[in-house]
Amino acid sequence: MFKIEERSAAIEGKDKVQVELHGGLKYPHRLNFYDKPPIYDVSIEEFETSALNRLRILAEIESSAARNRTWEETKTVTETQCEKYLPLKSSSAIGADRESQRRIDHLGHFVLRLAFCRSEELRRRFLKAETTLFKIRFESDVGAEKELFLNSRDFNWVAVDKAEKDKYRTELLTYQGRGDSFETDKYYKVRWTRVPDLVDKRKVFLKGGWAYVPGREQSSIVYEEFETRLERDLLLTARYMPRLDEDMRLGGILDNLSQGFLAGVSSEWSDAPTDMNGESIKAEMVDDLAAKHFPMCMRNSHQRLRKDHRLNHFGRLQYGLFLKVLGLSVEEAIIFWRKSFDRINDDTFNKMYKYNIRHSYGLEGKRANYPAKNCQQILTSGGDPGCPYRHFSPENLQSALLSTYGPLGLTSTDLYEVMNTVKGGHFHVACTRVFEMTHSGIGGVKKGEGIGGGESVTHPNQYSARSMELAKAHEEKATQMLT
């Protein structure tokens, strides 16, 4: 068993993870401050899956910040992702398994707390993303249910009575900016240090160290309380993490999760070959597909292969698996690689490369169906071939982007935004913006849409499949117009 307690973590057992349940067997509210860790048995698979689904949401929230999305755009994208990966219905929803949804939400938060408590940078990013998620849920919560949640907690605010309101009427109206609803508006007093955002925006009246917060700004107190508590709990969790390191089963899972902000979390990508209008991809088609539909990492591998007539072992593995999932059959793969390695004879090719090609297709060795590498795996690799957005120098990256995607519509003006994103360490976001910029004409992709529904690129094959899909739709539309 794996047991998480409020002030400690201890390892006990082999096949289950035990975590504490909030509020017994019931979750009375959709909103949650995650005060108490869960304590119930879950499988390792549920432990990881609940965290991955939540991380998909948090990674997209961070991507939204990196892409300078407006608050409304961020809300829309986040709510879409939540509906897909982490639904959390209100108590009045009919037919929804609210208990199960809230349980998964609760568990996933605490697993990620373990993964992201281990450094100041990870804590900062997790805190910001979680607070944003809470704000979005708070704004969308049903009014009556939100009130019940607020009443269930002690936020240590003091309701301002009528006599005090009248005493400071002039001052309160100055900050409120309107007087038509003053008589019915509620006010709360809190120490001014609890609402620094409102103080900074001059939205509250200050007197004797107290901030008089109008009811419509009450959410600022709630957000500050959530953020302060989570920041404290993350530090507390970090102190006891060494006890958790004894469990070898969880170390790898937590390490993998902590990389989630680096490259996002791969969507539910299928390794089924891409459909090319019902036809399989031929070796002679790869050059054209690379020029039109490949992400920068795979374009770089393809260009190196064409220039040097060779790739190192990891380069061949990464690019070969990408082509496999793209839809290149093993027979066509052998033809492709044989033509690419045209400086060696057939005997050398058969001895050195043919077996490995068949092995990657599951036809040799242990006959495993190896998946193509996702963005996270490529970003965290040693750097060769790696991700150009991370491993190229700024000068080389700019030059490579213009030469590679200039024919597809990328301009020197676009580079400024892309390079700023790279500088901030949001490499998959930079790749997503390049996708949007180079598909605005053919696919009509607008800024913020990503590969669809606002999602960022998290897998090279995902990039190519969407690009090919948009091109196919564009061709069909053009054909219809001609006929």
Side-chain angles (χ1 to χ4, degrees):
M1 300 289 177
F2 170 56
K3 185 178 182 181
I4 301 177
E5 298 176 354
E6 286 192 64
R7 295 184 177 274
S8 67
I11 310 303
E12 311 175 346
K14 297 181 179 179
D15 299 315
K16 294 283 187 177
V17 180
Q18 191 181 44
V19 273
E20 182 179 285
L21 179 66
H22 172 67
L25 296 176
K26 299 292 182 182
Y27 291 89
H29 309 290
R30 175 174 176 264
L31 299 171
N32 195 338
F33 260 45
Y34 309 101
D35 301 292
K36 298 179 181 179
I39 298 183
Y40 51 79
D41 290 349
V42 297
S43 65
I44 295 294
E45 180 181 3
E46 184 180 2
F47 182 88
E48 182 176 18
T49 301
S50 64
L52 279 172
N53 285 337
R54 189 181 194 88
L55 187 53
R56 287 188 173 98
I57 312 301
L58 301 187
E60 200 57 57
I61 287 174
E62 184 167 84
S63 294
S64 293
R67 298 168 73 173
N68 295 316
R69 283 176 172 150
T70 65
W71 177 246
E72 289 303 317
E73 289 172 339
T74 300
K75 281 178 59 179
T76 299
V77 170
T78 303
E79 288 171 351
T80 299
Q81 292 293 89
C82 282
E83 189 64 30
K84 185 176 180 180
Y85 296 113
L86 193 67
L88 197 65
K89 301 296 185 181
S90 66
S91 298
S92 57
I94 300 175
D97 188 355
R98 298 186 301 274
E99 187 69 22
S100 175
Q101 290 178 354
R102 294 174 186 182
R103 176 182 181 274
I104 292 172
D105 173 74
H106 189 224
L107 173 62
H109 169 88
F110 273 92
V111 176
L112 290 186
R113 187 183 289 188
L114 293 173
F116 286 94
C117 73
R118 296 182 288 178
S119 74
E120 183 178 352
E121 172 68 8
L122 288 175
R123 289 193 295 269
R124 180 188 64 78
R125 297 171 74 170
F126 179 70
L127 179 66
K128 185 176 181 180
E130 276 284 347
T131 302
T132 301
L133 177 59
F134 180 83
K135 289 179 179 179
I136 292 171
R137 287 175 169 175
F138 188 85
E139 286 190 10
S140 64
D141 208 24
V142 179
E145 294 181 23
K146 184 188 298 184
E147 194 67 27
L148 287 173
F149 169 74
L150 294 176
N151 292 335
S152 71
R153 305 188 59 84
D154 181 10
F155 288 96
N156 198 28
W157 54 42
V158 180
V160 178
D161 59 26
K162 187 177 185 306
E164 194 169 8
K165 271 180 62 178
D166 291 339
K167 180 179 179 180
Y168 297 115
R169 182 186 184 94
T170 302
E171 292 85 351
L172 293 174
L173 284 174
T174 299
Y175 289 92
Q176 182 170 333
R178 63 186 189 190
D180 54 334
S181 60
F182 179 78
E183 299 301 331
T184 57
D185 283 346
K186 295 181 180 180
Y187 283 84
Y188 302 89
K189 283 197 304 186
V190 294
R191 288 298 176 183
W192 72 270
T193 52
R194 292 187 57 191
V195 284
D197 58 326
L198 297 181
V199 174
D200 181 59
K201 296 176 182 177
R202 299 174 181 265
K203 288 188 174 183
V204 290
F205 166 57
L206 300 178
K207 181 69 175 180
W210 292 94
Y212 287 71
V213 182
R216 69 175 184 276
E217 303 290 351
Q218 185 185 33
S219 58
S220 289
I221 305 174
V222 180
Y223 301 156
E224 187 276 338
E225 182 79 3
F226 178 89
E227 188 170 1
T228 299
R229 286 177 175 270
L230 180 54
E231 184 176 23
R232 179 201 65 195
D233 291 344
L234 281 169
L235 289 170
L236 191 61
T237 305
R239 288 174 53 191
Y240 291 95
M241 272 301 294
R243 302 188 188 183
L244 184 64
D245 292 338
E246 300 170 18
D247 193 324
M248 300 302 293
R249 300 166 302 161
L250 303 182
I253 294 175
L254 297 179
D255 288 340
N256 182 58
L257 290 171
S258 65
Q259 297 289 337
F261 282 143
L262 179 64
V265 181
S266 291
S267 57
E268 295 173 344
W269 180 253
S270 170
D271 276 335
T274 303
D275 180 17
M276 280 289 295
N277 301 321
E279 299 178 3
S280 61
I281 294 174
K282 304 297 183 182
E284 62 267 20
M285 298 168 60
V286 176
D287 284 340
D288 185 59
L289 291 174
K292 297 177 180 177
H293 304 298
F294 284 12
M296 189 64 183
C297 54
M298 298 305 154
R299 282 291 296 270
N300 180 51
S301 292
H302 186 78
Q303 289 168 353
R304 289 173 63 179
L305 180 60
R306 286 292 176 253
K307 178 183 177 182
D308 302 331
H309 301 269
R310 64 177 299 277
L311 283 176
N312 64 28
H313 172 73
F314 293 107
R316 295 195 306 273
L317 178 63
Q318 178 176 297
Y319 190 44
L321 290 174
F322 167 80
L323 292 175
K324 167 190 166 184
V325 175
L326 191 69
L328 195 69
S329 68
V330 64
E331 293 81 12
E332 290 295 322
I334 292 172
I335 295 172
F336 171 79
W337 288 106
R338 180 66 191 96
K339 288 182 177 180
S340 299
F341 297 153
D342 56 4
R343 295 178 179 176
I344 60 176
N345 58 41
D346 288 341
D347 187 55
T348 301
F349 176 80
N350 290 335
K351 288 180 179 179
M352 295 183 62
Y353 302 110
K354 189 173 181 178
Y355 176 88
N356 288 335
I357 295 170
R358 289 176 53 79
H359 187 275
S360 67
Y361 278 77
L363 300 176
E364 301 288 355
K366 63 179 181 180
R367 300 182 183 277
N369 182 25
Y370 296 98
K373 294 185 180 298
N374 59 41
C375 290
Q376 181 171 316
Q377 292 169 320
I378 294 172
L379 275 163
T380 55
S381 66
D384 188 14
C387 172
Y389 295 99
R390 184 179 192 186
H391 298 119
F392 279 22
S393 69
E395 295 77 15
N396 287 343
L397 178 59
Q398 291 184 70
S399 177
L401 284 171
L402 278 179
S403 63
T404 302
Y405 294 108
L408 298 180
L410 188 72
T411 67
S412 56
T413 303
D414 296 327
L415 282 182
Y416 178 76
E417 180 183 348
V418 174
M419 295 308 297
N420 271 347
T421 308
V422 171
K423 186 178 179 180
H426 304 286
F427 310 110
H428 67 302
V429 177
C431 186
T432 304
R433 283 297 293 127
V434 169
F435 179 91
E436 292 171 343
M437 293 168 179
T438 55
H439 290 79
S440 59
I442 293 179
V445 177
K446 298 178 181 178
K447 182 177 181 180
E449 288 185 0
I451 58 167
E455 285 193 43
S456 299
V457 174
T458 57
H459 198 297
N461 285 96
Q462 176 194 39
Y463 182 112
S464 294
R466 181 58 176 158
S467 178
M468 292 158 67
E469 179 185 332
L470 290 171
K472 179 182 177 182
H474 179 74
E475 291 173 3
E476 290 177 348
K477 184 177 180 180
T479 303
Q480 290 175 359
M481 291 179 65
L482 290 175
T483 55

